[in-house]
Amino acid sequence: MAKKNPEPTLSPRERAFMVGVELYNRAGLLNLDDSLAELALLADTAGLDVVGEATQKLSHPNPQTYIGPGKVEEVKALAEEYQAQVLLFDDELSPRHLRELERIYGQDFRVIDRTALILDIFAQHANTREGALQVELAQYEYRLPRLTRAWTHLARQAGGGAGRSGGVGGVGLRGPGETQLEVDRRDIRRRIDHLKDELEKVRVHRQQYRQRRKRSRIPVVTLVGYTNAGKSTLLNRLSQADVYVADQLFATLDPTTRRVELPAGNLALFTDTVGFIQKLPTELVAAFRATLEEISEADLLLHVVDITHPNAQAQAESVHETLIEIEADHIPVLTVLNKIDQLIDPERAEHTLESYPNSVAISAITGKVIEGLLQAVNANLYENYSAM
């Protein structure tokens, strides 16, 4: 009897040790414990196993190592005890902080900050050419000021974690007295310029597409919200679409548009967009300019909030801050409190509705109150749209 081929084995996940800092003079939307809990979810999405954590309260970051000298040694000892391979910092490290920490830890651990982790997740989930271009640009913009001799030949890497983007081709000849580091910087700048040119073409194409949509006089509703709030599930429910859905952070990067029939025979185009998160890297906001313009050009925003999340209010505030950053806070908003099917106390939804003007509580997964949502969209959208 022939033997069956053994199932392919997956590579073991790297072990990560988290480092969080609470600054007295800089209050975040989430407290330190909740921020680290979110970082652990990000790590899991990226394929890391969190094995431990260390925290510190500071009036300001240490100018050399971000955390204090004593904490540097404590983190090293704990990470060794937990047999970690990665040190994961909950904030974005400056180039100086990263260089010094890599000098101290470089032989024993890889040092990754929150921004690099999010960029890696985006790279893993970029399934279209546009998404891959945007992520690769954000990665290179982040890496360029942090380039060290330990990061040489980045030009031969292909778009970070995803390995989709083709990397920098044609490394030029080294000039007189030019170091490898200078060559790498020059090639990365050249690649950044190329990516920006390609994304500008994407932006122009999107502008032309939006102009055609406007001429059709069909209004546009854009779904926004914190990552994993249920936007893609809601779009699937409304349009019988097959947008990819997963219980993980940043499952959807590329915008998806579907036509939806509203009450009274009206139509609208609903667009799903990338989820937001606190401390969203500025490189991503810049690189995803063409995609985020889908939000700023909408006639109505559906702000999807996971009502079951313990930090729902802070998440909603983070989304609002991002809308201000991308200059989309002038667009009318209908707040959608999602996942009421998971509430033990249904009255909680009614109480929460009072905190949000112009809101409706639904379950995207079961379809509960979806008709009420469509009626609310119709009332908001066509009243605003017809007045334009």
Side-chain angles (χ1 to χ4, degrees):
M1 184 175 178
K3 293 183 180 180
K4 291 183 178 180
N5 291 327
E7 293 293 327
T9 56
L10 298 175
S11 301
R13 288 159 63 100
E14 286 189 292
R15 297 163 65 87
F17 187 87
M18 300 190 301
V19 182
V21 172
E22 181 177 313
L23 298 175
Y24 293 119
N25 60 350
R26 192 182 71 190
L29 290 171
L30 300 180
N31 62 41
L32 181 57
D33 289 341
D34 289 337
S35 186
L36 285 174
E38 184 175 87
L39 184 67
L41 289 176
L42 288 167
D44 180 65
T45 302
L48 300 173
D49 283 333
V50 172
V51 295
E53 66 181 56
T55 62
Q56 186 174 35
K57 294 184 178 180
L58 296 171
S59 58
H60 56 271
N62 183 285
Q64 289 185 307
T65 55
Y66 195 72
I67 52 178
K71 187 61 68 172
V72 168
E73 295 303 317
E74 179 187 332
V75 165
K76 183 176 182 179
L78 288 171
E80 289 175 345
E81 179 183 341
Y82 285 104
Q83 298 181 325
Q85 292 104 11
V86 176
L87 296 181
L88 189 53
F89 282 74
D90 189 35
D91 288 293
E92 181 172 316
L93 298 172
S94 72
R96 181 181 182 184
H97 288 143
L98 187 60
R99 281 194 294 269
E100 187 63 20
L101 290 169
E102 284 184 334
R103 184 188 67 79
I104 296 170
Y105 294 132
Q107 299 299 317
D108 304 300
F109 315 103
R110 286 195 301 125
V111 180
I112 299 176
D113 64 12
R114 186 184 182 100
T115 295
L117 182 67
I118 292 174
L119 291 175
D120 183 69
I121 293 171
F122 271 58
Q124 292 178 33
H125 292 178
N127 295 315
T128 66
R129 178 176 178 274
E130 177 185 349
L133 286 172
Q134 291 174 124
V135 173
E136 188 183 356
L137 174 60
Q139 286 180 317
Y140 279 130
E141 293 276 19
Y142 169 81
R143 286 172 174 170
L144 183 59
R146 294 167 176 81
L147 200 61
T148 65
R149 281 176 294 178
W151 289 37
T152 57
H153 303 294
L154 269 182
R156 299 180 185 177
Q157 295 184 10
R164 307 174 189 274
S165 307
V168 181
V171 175
L173 295 175
R174 190 180 306 181
E178 198 174 25
T179 67
Q180 182 60 52
L181 191 60
E182 290 168 333
V183 171
D184 288 339
R185 285 187 178 128
R186 174 162 48 81
D187 286 320
I188 288 176
R189 289 191 185 98
R190 184 186 300 124
R191 181 62 178 172
I192 286 173
D193 290 341
H194 172 73
L195 290 168
K196 286 181 176 179
D197 289 342
E198 291 298 303
L199 285 171
E200 183 59 26
K201 296 175 185 176
V202 170
R203 181 169 174 265
V204 170
H205 176 75
R206 284 198 175 277
Q207 283 180 325
Q208 293 171 345
Y209 177 64
R210 283 194 293 268
Q211 289 299 322
R212 289 197 299 270
R213 283 194 320 212
K214 287 182 178 180
R215 287 195 294 269
S216 72
R217 297 297 296 167
I218 300 177
V220 176
V221 179
T222 298
L223 282 67
V224 298
Y226 212 77
T227 181
N228 211 27
K231 300 185 304 302
S232 298
T233 301
L234 178 56
L235 182 61
N236 285 342
R237 170 65 62 178
L238 293 172
S239 64
Q240 288 76 53
D242 56 353
V243 179
Y244 177 70
V245 174
D247 185 18
Q248 59 180 208
L249 305 184
F250 302 117
T252 303
L253 290 189
D254 302 301
T256 302
T257 300
R258 295 289 185 269
R259 182 178 299 213
V260 175
E261 186 171 343
L262 301 176
N266 292 322
L267 293 175
L269 296 175
F270 281 63
T271 298
D272 186 19
T273 59
V274 61
F276 298 156
I277 197 168
Q278 66 145 355
K279 306 175 186 176
L280 190 66
T282 55
E283 293 88 356
L284 274 178
V285 174
F288 275 70
R289 178 185 174 198
T291 298
L292 293 175
E293 282 180 354
E294 292 290 324
I295 298 174
S296 61
E297 295 287 336
D299 299 296
L300 177 68
L301 300 180
L302 285 193
H303 178 188
V304 183
V305 178
D306 177 1
I307 193 176
T308 68
H309 200 284
N311 293 309
Q313 184 63 44
Q315 291 183 349
E317 291 176 11
S318 178
V319 171
H320 180 65
E321 287 185 358
T322 304
L323 292 175
I324 293 174
E325 185 177 354
I326 64 175
E327 300 180 349
D329 54 312
H330 63 285
I331 301 171
V333 176
L334 174 60
T335 302
V336 182
L337 305 179
N338 189 27
K339 306 186 183 182
I340 60 173
D341 57 296
Q342 298 180 23
L343 291 178
I344 298 175
D345 180 12
E347 292 185 2
R348 177 180 166 189
E350 295 299 323
H351 176 72
T352 307
L353 281 171
E354 298 173 2
S355 304
Y356 294 91
N358 199 27
S359 58
V360 60
I362 68 155
S363 168
I365 196 72
T366 67
K368 187 174 183 180
V369 200
I370 289 296
E371 285 303 317
L373 170 60
L374 288 173
Q375 290 170 4
V377 169
N378 190 65
N380 279 267
L381 188 59
Y382 273 84
E383 178 180 338
N384 293 326
Y385 193 74
S386 61
M388 292 176 59

